[in-house]
Amino acid sequence: QVQLVESGGGSVQTGGSLTLSCAASDYRYCMGWFRQAPGKEREGVAVTSFYGVSSYADSVKGRFTISRDNARKTVYLQMNSLKPEDTAMYYCAASRLVASCRPRMADMDYWGEGTLVTISS
C-alpha cells in the first residue's frame, strides 16, 4: 500500500500561481495529478514517469508543469496562469503499472485525500 499526502492548495486570483506537492510513502513508476471540479467527473491533469516523461491534459499544457524528486518520493505540480476553471479538488495518484504512464483514472491504484484549489476572478 502506498500513502499519498497532498499539500499546497489554496485560494489565488486569476493569473496567479500555486505549487502542489505530493509526498509518497513509496515511489511508483507512474505518479500524477487528477482533479475534480464541483459537479464534474474526476479528470487527469498530468502524470510523470520515474524517468521524467510527462503527459498533460490539453487544458493545462503550457501552464502546468509536473516534476518529481525520486529521492524525496515527492511529486510536484507547478500551476501558472491559473483560471477560474482550474478550481477543483486536486488529487495525487500513483500506479502499479511499470510499462506505461498515462493520465487515466483506470490506471491509478493509489489516491491521496486531495487538496483544494480555488481560483477567483
Side-chain angles (χ1 to χ4, degrees), residues 64-81:
F64 290 11
T65 302
I66 189 170
S67 61
R68 63 189 288 169
D69 183 333
N70 291 326
R72 295 179 182 271
K73 301 175 186 176
T74 302
V75 179
Y76 304 96
L77 185 67
Q78 174 67 43
M79 306 185 294
N80 298 325
S81 303

Side-chain angles (χ1 to χ4, degrees), residues 23-63:
S25 61
D26 195 6
Y27 70 83
R28 285 294 180 268
Y29 176 78
C30 181
M31 299 183 68
W33 292 92
F34 291 71
R35 67 184 180 186
Q36 187 166 17
K40 295 188 177 181
E41 294 185 352
R42 194 172 298 189
E43 63 177 0
V45 176
V47 294
T48 183
S49 73
F50 180 84
Y51 298 106
V53 179
S54 303
S55 178
Y56 296 89
D58 288 342
S59 59
V60 306
K61 284 181 181 177
R63 300 188 298 122

Side-chain angles (χ1 to χ4, degrees), residues 94-106:
S95 171
R96 289 198 295 257
L97 294 175
V98 295
S100 66
C101 191
R102 299 168 295 179
R104 297 177 66 241
M105 285 186 59

